[in-house]
Amino acid sequence: MAVLVLADHDGSAVTQPTRSAVAAASKLGDVTVLVLGPRAAADSAAKVAGVAKVLHTEDALYANGLAEPLAALLVSMAPEYSHLLAPASAAGKNVMPRVAALLDVQVISDIAGVVDADTFVRPIYAGNALATVKSADPKKVITVRAASFDPAAAEGGNAAVEAAPKGEDPGLSNFLGAEIAKSERPELTAAKVVVSGGRAMGSAENFHIIESVADKLGAAVGASRAAVDAGYAPNDHQVGQTGKIVAPDLYIAVGISGAIQHLAGMKDSKVIVAINKDEEAPIFSVADYGLVGDLFKVMPEFESELAKK
Amino acid sequence: MKLLVPVKRVVDYNVKVRVKADHTGVETANVKMSMNPFDEIAVEEAVRLKEKGAATEIIAVSAGPTACQEQIRTALAMGADRGILIEHDGVLEPLAVAKLLKAVIAKESPDLVILGKQAIDDDMNATGQMLAALLGWPQGTYASKVEPADGGIKVTREVDGGLERLQLKLPAIVTTDLRLNEPRYASLPNIMKARKKPIETLKPADLGVDVSPRLTVLKVEEPPKRQAGKKVGSVQELVDKLRNEAKVI
């Protein structure tokens, strides 16, 4: 069986969630990766372990990831594949359901496990239950939860890069512009360590306490919904059911109570640390290490302790 | 501009759901049900567009058991003009709901459909995109801003690295993100008035839609429980544990 993976990339390389999707796809058949963008990104996909073929185009029609032309392209390619996968990123979640409906199949969102070619595990109810579902559709259209699959190695593959087919432009939408936050820190969904702040941070200025500890640890910075709503942190930092799903080696929750919706985004982390002054906070029920204390005292101390070797 | 707003009846977001002992699903009997939070945001946005004079009529539609009337009434109390209930007992997957909505749209001809980005029960995040596909309409998903502009609509979307802006031709589909607005509470007089607003009831068969599920749920399980953790007494102890016991820093 041939499996198509739609890649996310940063302009020069495919993302770690894309490599997780390749890992999931490898359990299903021969993996072809579709890269829309610069040649360098296609070359990086060709090196990913387990990739058999890369299809590449730099056509301006796909430059901004508009769902309408992209879905049309994927549907035109679909006859050759039994499974079409994408990482469950904003881009993947935007286009794959559209592809599924055009093929008259039910999309299988955010899979956390592959049982066999028709059967998948996916979290429901904010990750409070895991459903095993068997699809009766002739073709499977799937998005992959990156945190649930170890990414395929970035090196070791040697796939051929071929030209992707040319699709139609439905002409329904136009891209006007984007404001993408620039950050020196690792990407939230790919980071090995994440330090997140909640409402108790009190202000956007106070978030530097989190950032400074994050930089000591080479960590990404996250936030709870409360912190984002209060304007302490930008929206794309939100970890949770409606934000990003992360599963780093170490997740440090600072001043976060631990609502169901936040836990949905981080409870698969290997080690969870909670720093909170309320010892009754639900976050302590999932934390491996909990420290009850005032974050404004604890965090500077934590930082200076990290500086000691 | 005529607006259609689909709303879903789901287990209230504050309820800690329990997996049934026989692993067939989660316990939904005697559990508080509410309108899906993202759908409240969709209703609010529709009502604001009407208040701004950009919209003329708002139709709230829900598919599911008879009890979904409660969620339609909530939408009517928030400011929707009339309701449509597509009555069906049993599972409705996003593809089936999209097909039902397409059939309703064929009758009602709205210019804009505003849905929530995902329902907090199945967490699928698919119905809006699937509906847009079936209709051949453009989609503006994860919207944090919606403005009628240049004969179409301008949508600001929340994407992984930040925000992006699209211009969509009408008719179009928009799905709401949390940041779009703060939904209002229905006032008591408006709740009373909503009782008089009409709700039409249809069946999937009236709309000629086959709603049989494509996915069979083989089992539903609790996620693995985390080992109970420990409280540490000091920052020094915490850093020591992270370095020498957990070995994560």
Side-chain angles (χ1 to χ4, degrees):
Chain A
M1 280 190 291
V3 181
L4 185 68
V5 174
L6 172 65
D8 283 349
H9 61 80
D10 62 8
S12 58
V14 295
T15 61
Q16 184 171 325
T18 299
R19 290 190 283 115
S20 291
V22 168
S26 300
K27 297 174 191 250
L28 298 164
D30 291 335
V31 181
T32 298
V33 177
L34 174 62
V35 180
L36 307 165
R39 173 72 195 210
D43 290 339
S44 87
K47 291 195 196 110
V48 172
V51 174
K53 186 161 75 171
V54 174
L55 295 174
H56 168 246
T57 174
E58 218 174 330
D59 195 312
L61 185 54
Y62 310 113
N64 300 306
L66 292 174
E68 297 82 7
L70 180 48
L73 174 66
L74 286 165
V75 168
S76 75
M77 296 169 69
E80 290 178 40
Y81 302 94
S82 60
H83 297 72
L84 289 87
L85 280 71
S89 57
K93 291 190 285 194
N94 187 38
V95 73
M96 295 314 266
R98 191 171 179 109
V99 171
L102 292 170
L103 297 170
D104 193 30
V105 305
Q106 174 58 50
V107 71
I108 310 166
S109 304
D110 216 18
I111 62 162
V114 173
V115 178
D116 61 37
D118 305 311
T119 315
F120 306 92
V121 179
R122 57 180 305 271
I124 54 175
Y125 288 91
N128 286 299
L130 291 172
T132 303
V133 297
K134 188 178 171 70
S135 167
D137 283 321
K139 209 174 277 297
K140 324 298 176 202
V141 178
I142 293 167
T143 58
V144 178
R145 171 171 288 217
S148 300
F149 295 88
D150 287 333
E155 301 287 336
N158 186 22
V161 180
E162 296 173 17
K166 169 96 181 120
E168 298 287 312
D169 180 6
L172 295 166
S173 57
N174 281 308
F175 184 80
L176 300 175
E179 292 137 43
I180 301 300
K182 282 272 162 265
S183 175
E184 301 286 304
R185 299 193 182 91
E187 212 274 308
L188 193 51
T189 55
K192 294 236 177 284
V193 182
V194 174
V195 189
S196 283
R199 194 200 305 270
M201 297 310 299
S203 73
E205 291 70 41
N206 288 342
F207 240 77
H208 77 83
I209 303 173
I210 296 277
E211 288 162 0
S212 150
V213 169
D215 291 342
K216 278 270 184 314
L217 290 165
V221 173
S224 70
R225 181 184 168 192
V228 170
D229 282 353
Y232 303 166
N235 297 346
D236 59 296
H237 281 31
Q238 187 184 325
V239 172
Q241 185 181 19
T242 61
K244 307 252 167 76
I245 313 285
V246 302
D249 292 344
L250 174 61
Y251 187 89
I252 305 178
V254 184
I256 292 177
S257 63
I260 296 170
Q261 292 77 14
H262 186 75
L263 300 183
M266 46 63 80
K267 68 187 168 69
D268 293 327
S269 306
K270 285 203 186 83
V271 174
I272 297 173
V273 169
I275 295 169
N276 204 301
K277 66 179 177 193
D278 174 11
E279 60 181 311
E280 302 293 319
I283 191 77
F284 286 118
S285 68
V286 300
D288 300 280
Y289 302 105
L291 181 57
V292 179
D294 180 357
L295 71 93
F296 296 103
K297 287 202 189 105
V298 170
M299 293 304 280
E301 209 183 318
F302 189 41
E303 193 182 337
S304 59
E305 195 65 23
L306 287 172
K308 294 183 205 160
K309 282 288 163 192
Chain B
M1 189 158 69
K2 189 167 164 183
L3 306 182
L4 187 81
V5 185
V7 297
K8 186 176 186 181
R9 176 182 170 85
V10 297
V11 171
D12 188 85
Y13 76 97
N14 274 318
V15 172
K16 174 99 172 79
V17 296
R18 283 179 205 288
V19 172
K20 284 185 187 168
D22 64 0
H23 300 295
T24 55
V26 305
E27 200 56 69
T28 52
N30 303 317
V31 168
K32 186 185 177 199
M33 306 292 281
S34 299
M35 189 193 294
N36 180 45
F38 291 100
D39 303 348
E40 289 184 352
I41 295 170
V43 174
E44 176 65 33
E45 196 63 20
V47 174
R48 288 186 190 189
L49 284 168
K50 192 176 172 191
E51 286 169 347
K52 273 191 265 183
T56 47
E57 190 188 21
I58 303 167
I59 307 163
V61 51
S62 190
T66 316
C68 294
Q69 279 188 359
E70 289 169 31
Q71 280 62 47
I72 296 174
R73 289 281 172 217
T74 304
L76 297 176
M78 287 173 73
D81 297 292
R82 60 189 169 92
I84 298 174
L85 169 65
I86 307 165
E87 211 171 23
H88 178 75
D89 288 315
V91 177
L92 286 173
E93 289 171 351
L95 180 62
V97 174
K99 287 179 176 178
L100 293 169
L101 292 173
K102 184 189 175 192
V104 169
I105 287 163
K107 290 166 57 147
E108 299 286 350
S109 314
D111 304 286
L112 181 64
V113 183
I114 310 179
L115 305 89
K117 82 164 176 183
Q118 77 190 59
I120 59 164
D121 51 2
D122 65 16
D123 281 333
M124 275 286 197
N125 190 334
T127 306
Q129 297 90 313
M130 296 189 110
L131 179 59
L134 297 178
L135 293 163
W137 292 5
Q139 65 189 56
T141 51
Y142 324 139
S144 59
K145 200 171 179 192
V146 176
E147 306 154 277
D150 307 328
I153 51 163
K154 226 183 246 185
V155 177
T156 302
R157 305 181 56 229
E158 298 209 356
V159 294
D160 285 339
L163 299 172
E164 70 174 36
R165 295 185 308 283
L166 303 181
Q167 171 82 28
L168 307 181
K169 288 185 180 163
L170 289 175
I173 303 291
V174 164
T175 75
T176 64
D177 217 317
L178 281 173
R179 246 69 59 178
L180 182 58
N181 60 48
E182 186 78 35
R184 71 192 65 192
Y185 290 103
S187 66
L188 189 59
N190 285 342
I191 293 170
M192 302 303 286
K193 269 187 235 159
R195 290 189 186 169
K196 298 209 173 67
K197 292 182 180 174
I199 298 180
E200 180 187 357
T201 301
L202 301 167
K203 298 271 186 193
D206 304 333
L207 297 166
V209 176
D210 172 12
V211 294
S212 3
R214 307 292 185 85
L215 304 179
T216 310
V217 177
L218 302 181
K219 61 179 173 189
V220 174
E221 295 169 299
E222 296 249 1
K225 285 251 188 302
R226 292 189 73 93
Q227 294 283 325
K230 45 191 146 186
K231 294 254 171 76
V232 294
S234 70
V235 171
Q236 287 74 10
E237 194 188 339
L238 176 62
V239 172
D240 176 63
K241 296 271 192 220
L242 293 178
R243 278 205 177 116
N244 303 316
E245 191 175 275
K247 300 190 197 308
V248 283
I249 57 172

